[in-house]
Amino acid sequence: MFIKFFHSIQNSFHSCLRLFSTILTGKRNRIYKNVDGSKKEANAVMRQMITEMESGKVVKKCDLTVAEWMAEWISLYLPDIEETTRIGYKTKLKCYIIPAIGEIRIHALRAEHVQKLVNDMIARNLSPKNIRDTFNNINAAMKKAVVLRHIAYNPCEGVVLPKQKKYRAKVYNQALIHTLLDVTRGTDMYLPVLLCVAVGLRRGELLALRWEHIDFENKILKVRSNMVRGEKGYIIKAPKSEAGIRDISLGDEIVHELRKARAQYARDAFAYGIGFQNHGYVIKQPNGAPYKPDSMTQKWERLLEKNNLPKIRLHDLRHSNATALIQAGVNPRVVQQRLGHSDVNITLNTYTHVLLEMDIDAAEKLDSIMLKRA
């Protein structure tokens, strides 16, 4: 490392500092600083630059754009993330980040650029969660850029995000559940609805379920697989958590319906002939192929529309299942195990809902205990 000064011939002279270092890459990096003043002042600036360099504040100028850096960040620094997570990152990069700030060089990115992106997403009525997830992706990528000294500071600092409201799921009470089962009985939606509302399966678990996962003798349904979106279409993989791998006891009525469905599966395979896709999916299309999650959601929405039923998500049948179990007095930890949650608080805080009937029952019990007249 050395310093070279160029003096002007005027009373106050001009000095130029050149610092050579091997920061980051092992290659010599030149950092220039022009100082208008005395040699003493130039030396003070030089010492300050040396201090900053040694403390890591001096950065290597990076000409990558936001789009280029985030693509590199995802591929190079996140090699072990779940495929579904990777797809989510790439989708947000393509749909939101690139159109708004993708062409800006990361060394020129400022908080106001990120704030404008956030504000534009709010104006488009995108969900607070979607906005927050998009911001979190940018924030994580820029934090890594700071660590690698591509940029001096994180431009996401100071950005204001919209408040994220907790989603309140809609659930069916027992009367609506009975109506739902009545209108689907005898159709190809009866078994999917039954397994969601009476067993509490997630959509992906439902569509990945195979006959080998049903233990008819012991009346147990084994959750071992989940259908999720991959980069090249939907794939079957293990549940995302260890708690998701579970055995669920079944009642006699559900076992009876599953036996009927297995017999129908064999008849369908015979009738369809050589073109039947004999993969053993419990919920299948006529040719034996599994349903895609989006297709099942569309079937569910058409079902509600046709029968003039209250509109809820297919996943809300799982909420309805948890609520019914709690209402029936089932121990919350048993509910937790059946739903595949790692923490009982998730079960209690997210998947159970106070129905009007439960509230009325609580009021009547309090009335009889505390206010009953002699």
Side-chain angles (χ1 to χ4, degrees), residues 275-318:
F276 187 80
Q277 298 183 32
N278 191 17
H279 301 303
Y281 287 105
V282 175
I283 308 302
K284 64 173 182 60
Q285 300 183 55
N287 67 348
Y291 280 102
K292 294 179 179 179
D294 291 344
S295 298
M296 180 55 63
T297 295
Q298 291 166 8
K299 284 174 68 68
W300 166 251
E301 291 171 350
R302 289 194 297 268
L303 168 68
L304 298 185
E305 185 73 27
K306 178 181 178 181
N307 294 280
N308 197 29
L309 288 167
K311 290 181 173 57
I312 66 172
R313 304 174 307 170
L314 181 62
H315 188 77
D316 288 337
L317 292 182
R318 180 172 159 87

Side-chain angles (χ1 to χ4, degrees), residues 258-272:
L258 284 168
R259 288 187 185 278
K260 287 169 54 179
R262 186 175 63 170
Q264 184 62 48
Y265 181 96
R267 289 193 293 269
D268 291 345
F270 179 79
Y272 206 91

Side-chain angles (χ1 to χ4, degrees), residues 321-332 335 347-348 351-353 358:
N321 169 267
T323 301
L325 290 172
I326 295 295
Q327 187 179 18
V330 176
N331 187 300
V335 181
T347 308
L348 293 174
Y351 285 90
T352 57
H353 309 271
M358 297 169 69

Side-chain angles (χ1 to χ4, degrees), residues 162-222:
K163 292 182 180 180
Q164 188 168 349
K165 296 180 180 179
K166 187 176 181 180
Y167 175 75
R168 293 179 61 88
K170 300 177 182 178
V171 299
Y172 279 179
N173 59 20
Q174 291 185 15
L176 281 170
I177 290 173
H178 290 154
T179 300
L180 177 63
L181 293 174
D182 286 341
V183 300
T184 56
R185 200 179 304 274
T187 73
D188 63 351
M189 282 298 289
Y190 180 69
L191 191 58
V193 166
L194 184 66
L195 292 175
C196 286
V197 76
V199 183
L201 294 184
R202 299 178 176 93
R203 183 183 62 173
E205 295 170 346
L206 171 75
L207 301 181
L209 186 67
R210 289 186 170 95
W211 290 114
E212 65 190 66
H213 300 142
I214 308 297
D215 182 346
F216 285 97
E217 182 177 352
N218 295 302
K219 296 188 290 187
I220 291 175
L221 185 152
K222 301 178 180 180

Side-chain angles (χ1 to χ4, degrees), residues 83-84 87 228-235:
E83 185 173 358
T84 50
I87 292 171
V228 298
R229 187 188 294 276
E231 292 199 61
K232 297 181 180 180
Y234 287 99
I235 60 173

